[in-house]
Structures are given as C-alpha cells and as structure tokens.
Amino acid sequence: MQGVIVILIFIITSLIVFLEKYLGRYKLPIYVFLGLSLILVAGFREIGVDADSLVYENIYNSNMSADNGVEMEFSFSLLASIMHLFTDDVHGLFLLYAILGITLKFIAFRNLSVSWFMPVIVFISYYFEYHDCMEIRTSILSAFMLLAIKPLAEGKKLYALLLIIMGGFFHYSAIMLIPLFFLSNKPMSIRQKIFWGLCVPVGYLLHFGGSSLILNVSSNIPYIGERIETYQNGAIWNILQGDLNIFAPLHLFMIMLFYYLLFFQDVIIENNKYYPIMMKICAIGMFAFPVLSIVPVFAQRVSMQYFVVNIILYATLQYTLKPKWVGALFVIAVSFVLLNYSLPEIGTHIFWGGGDAN
C-alpha cells in the first residue's frame, strides 16, 4: 500500500510542476500539503516493509535496554524515551523523525532551488524511501547537510559547522562530512572539471588496486573504524550484508547523469548558483562508492550521504533542455527511473528486471 501512495504523490507532484507558474500564492499551501503527506506516509508506514523498521521496533520495544545489542546515538535514546511516555507504538517515534527530517529538507529545498516542486519530485523518487522511510537517523543528518550547503557556498563555515554538528547529534556519521569544509563554490575551470570528472575512473581503479589500503587508514579514525569493523564482521543489526555490484545499472545511470551535469555547468549555474559545490560533493560520493565497496554497507551509506545533493542537482536537469516543458519531462523521466528502484513493496522492477538496485 505504501508504494501505491508514494506513486500517487509522485504523479500529483509531477502534474503540479507544469502548473507551478500559475499557482501564485497557492504554492506555499500546496508545498506544505505535500510535505505533510510525506510525513504521514513515513510516520505510519507498515512495520516490516523494510528491514530497518523491524530493527527499530525491536529496539523501541526493548525500552532501550542495554542488552539490545545495538549502539544508538543519545538523541535516539532520548527521543525514544520521550515517546514511550505517550505510546508503546514505534510509529510515534517514526512520526517524530519524519516531522524533523522532512520538514528540514523542505526548508533546504527552498534555500537551494528556485523551483518549488521539482526537487520534491526527485526527493520522492528515491531519497524519501531510502532515508526517511528506512535510515531515519541518517535522514535528519542529510537534512542538516542540505541546510549547510548554502552557508558553505557563502563562506560561512562556522554556521555550516554548527549545522553539521547538530546533524551529528542524530547520527554520528556526520564525521564523514569533514571534506565538505574544503570545498568552494567557485565555478569549475576546464582543468577542475577534468579533476572532478576523474573521481569516477580513479575510484574504480582504486577499487581494484587500493581499496584495502584506504580502508586500513580509515579504520584508525574514531567511530568510522568501529563502524567498518562492525560491517566487516558480516552483519549490521543482525542483517547479513550481500555483495555490492559497482557496475549495477542504477549506479551506471547515476554516473551518466553526473557527466551530463558536469558538461552543462554554464547553463545550470545561471539558474542555480550553488551548482559548483553540490557537483563537488556528488563527485566525492561517486569516488567513495567503488573505493569503499569492499565493505558494502559502508560504501552505500557514505555514498548515499553525499548523493543527497542529487535531489537538487537532478532538479536542475530541467535547465538543460528547451522548451521548459521538455526539461520538466526530462526530470520526471529520470525520477521515474529512480522511483523504480526505491519502493520495497514492488517485487519487480519496471526497468532492467528484478534484483537489488545496488
């Protein structure tokens, strides 16, 4: 049922995109309505539709006892304890996280995009299901990361650092975002475009020749080392991890979009001034995915954390084609492909057959 609802919201939002310029003062209430709809879907999703929901229910029902075998952030323990005062149903906790994560993301979308509804389409297509319906703690960190992009681009690094620290309160993996503070928002020269474009092939070369060395170095970093050790033991929250296909059709599709966006820098930057720093962030994710794939769960989570900027970047695809309605259809088509891989209730894929998207 969840998949059907998400598809309906996706279709409705896609139609709204073509009416955006005529909506005037109705944009805000419609925008809020879409956000509330997604909050309700994430907050009241069926337990068991994804593995994470079962894990969270088990932890919540254990009343955060010390023997639950899972290490959680203090914020999770605090919020779970508060919700226990009102309900024993884990959906209360899901709803609280959904309110925080989705609200912050919708605020970030308005900061980073001229279009009201195009980022929402991309968000619904993939990242909503992956983060807000599964990785609920990471979802809030991702929201704070998106909020930090604008101050980072404007050189307000102290403010950006504060936002990342706030995100780290909800998920300790915020430490993986340190590279963001070394990035600038200056448009890329030809040499710089080549440099960032090489992140993909260099990442694959290191995958075949140096992944173990990089992971050995990473293992010495506090928290990250502990996470890697947990993942390398073959299980995370009692769920065995499988092999990661770094040549999966979905990832190759994302690589193609990365180079397409890189090629159209001049066109896109006229419509979105935060394009340069977001492309650099995306490039880091492209690099991390194959390099860290020796530990599949770690590779997925690090790369997806950086790929959250794709919500805005893929929305800018609309500026690469004219007339505007063709560009809008392009974004919707790309989002539809992503949607095909995001709904856990759908047993078969519309494109490229069944199987794991990763």
Side-chain angles (χ1 to χ4, degrees):
M1 186 63 182
Q2 177 182 328
V4 174
I5 296 174
V6 171
I7 291 173
L8 286 175
I9 297 175
F10 177 84
I11 293 173
I12 291 171
T13 309
S14 298
L15 295 174
I16 291 173
V17 162
F18 295 100
L19 302 173
E20 182 172 324
K21 66 178 181 179
Y22 304 109
L23 294 177
R25 61 190 177 92
Y26 296 107
K27 288 180 184 178
L28 180 57
I30 293 174
Y31 192 70
V32 172
F33 173 77
L34 290 173
L36 288 174
S37 300
L38 293 173
I39 287 172
L40 292 175
V41 172
F44 294 102
R45 67 188 183 276
E46 179 185 351
I47 302 298
V49 72
D50 61 271
D52 289 53
S53 62
L54 291 171
V55 173
Y56 283 122
E57 182 182 46
N58 180 56
I59 297 172
Y60 190 76
N61 289 338
S62 72
N63 293 315
M64 303 306 298
S65 61
D67 61 351
N68 61 49
V70 180
E71 179 186 354
M72 288 290 181
E73 295 81 6
F74 171 74
S75 61
F76 184 89
S77 303
L78 176 63
L79 293 176
S81 298
I82 292 174
M83 290 309 302
H84 260 299
L85 298 176
F86 303 96
T87 178
D88 291 330
D89 189 343
V90 72
H91 284 103
L93 184 65
F94 289 165
L95 183 62
L96 182 58
Y97 268 87
I99 291 172
L100 291 172
I102 294 175
T103 299
L104 291 175
K105 284 191 182 76
F106 268 56
I107 293 173
F109 296 165
R110 296 303 307 125
N111 290 339
L112 300 172
S113 176
V114 175
S115 173
W116 283 71
F117 302 104
M118 201 66 80
V120 178
I121 292 177
V122 181
F123 172 58
I124 294 171
S125 70
Y126 193 76
Y127 301 91
F128 168 70
E129 287 284 342
Y130 187 87
H131 276 165
D132 297 271
C133 291
M134 292 175 61
E135 297 290 332
I136 59 175
R137 289 145 53 232
T138 305
S139 168
I140 300 182
L141 171 59
S142 297
F144 277 109
M145 174 185 162
L146 284 174
L147 287 171
I149 289 175
K150 181 178 179 181
L152 276 172
E154 296 173 348
K156 302 174 183 177
K157 294 191 175 182
L158 185 60
Y159 179 40
L161 177 61
L162 177 61
L163 289 170
I164 296 299
I165 291 175
M166 292 173 66
F169 180 68
F170 292 93
H171 203 291
Y172 295 149
S173 61
I175 192 173
M176 298 185 301
L177 300 180
I178 291 177
L180 268 62
F181 294 90
F182 297 94
L183 304 177
S184 74
N185 194 46
K186 293 181 180 179
M188 291 173 279
S189 64
I190 294 178
R191 287 185 178 182
Q192 290 172 333
K193 288 172 71 174
I194 293 174
F195 172 81
W196 290 107
L198 285 174
C199 283
V200 176
V202 170
Y204 275 87
L205 287 174
L206 288 176
H207 165 78
F208 294 109
S211 288
S212 297
L213 176 61
I214 292 176
L215 282 173
N216 288 336
V217 173
S218 301
S219 297
N220 296 320
I221 302 175
Y223 177 77
I224 292 180
E226 297 174 7
R227 293 291 92 185
I228 292 176
E229 183 179 357
T230 300
Y231 299 148
Q232 284 181 318
N233 287 334
I236 175 68
W237 295 318
N238 300 321
I239 301 172
L240 295 178
Q241 61 182 10
D243 295 330
L244 188 68
N245 179 10
I246 61 173
F247 295 105
L250 177 60
H251 189 65
L252 295 179
F253 179 66
M254 294 174 68
I255 290 175
M256 179 187 71
L257 291 175
F258 171 72
Y259 283 117
Y260 183 88
L261 286 163
L262 197 62
F263 178 80
F264 281 99
Q265 173 184 251
D266 295 339
V267 173
I268 297 174
I269 206 170
E270 292 177 359
N271 297 278
N272 192 308
K273 62 183 179 181
Y274 304 113
Y275 163 90
I277 192 169
M278 289 190 292
M279 279 299 293
K280 295 168 187 176
I281 294 172
C282 178
I284 295 175
M286 287 289 176
F287 174 80
F289 185 75
V291 169
L292 302 178
S293 60
I294 190 173
V295 185
V297 176
F298 192 58
Q300 288 175 318
R301 296 191 175 180
V302 172
S303 59
M304 279 298 293
Q305 186 61 64
Y306 281 92
F307 286 158
V308 72
V309 297
N310 288 345
I311 297 174
I312 307 298
L313 285 174
Y314 290 172
T316 66
L317 290 169
Q318 63 181 308
Y319 305 122
T320 65
L321 294 175
K322 293 183 179 181
K324 287 185 178 181
W325 66 269
V326 175
L329 281 177
F330 184 28
V331 177
I332 293 171
V334 167
S335 299
F336 182 70
V337 173
L338 296 176
L339 183 68
N340 168 62
Y341 280 98
S342 69
L343 301 178
E345 288 183 76
I346 298 178
T348 58
H349 292 312
I350 301 169
F351 293 115
W352 302 315
D356 193 295
N358 296 303

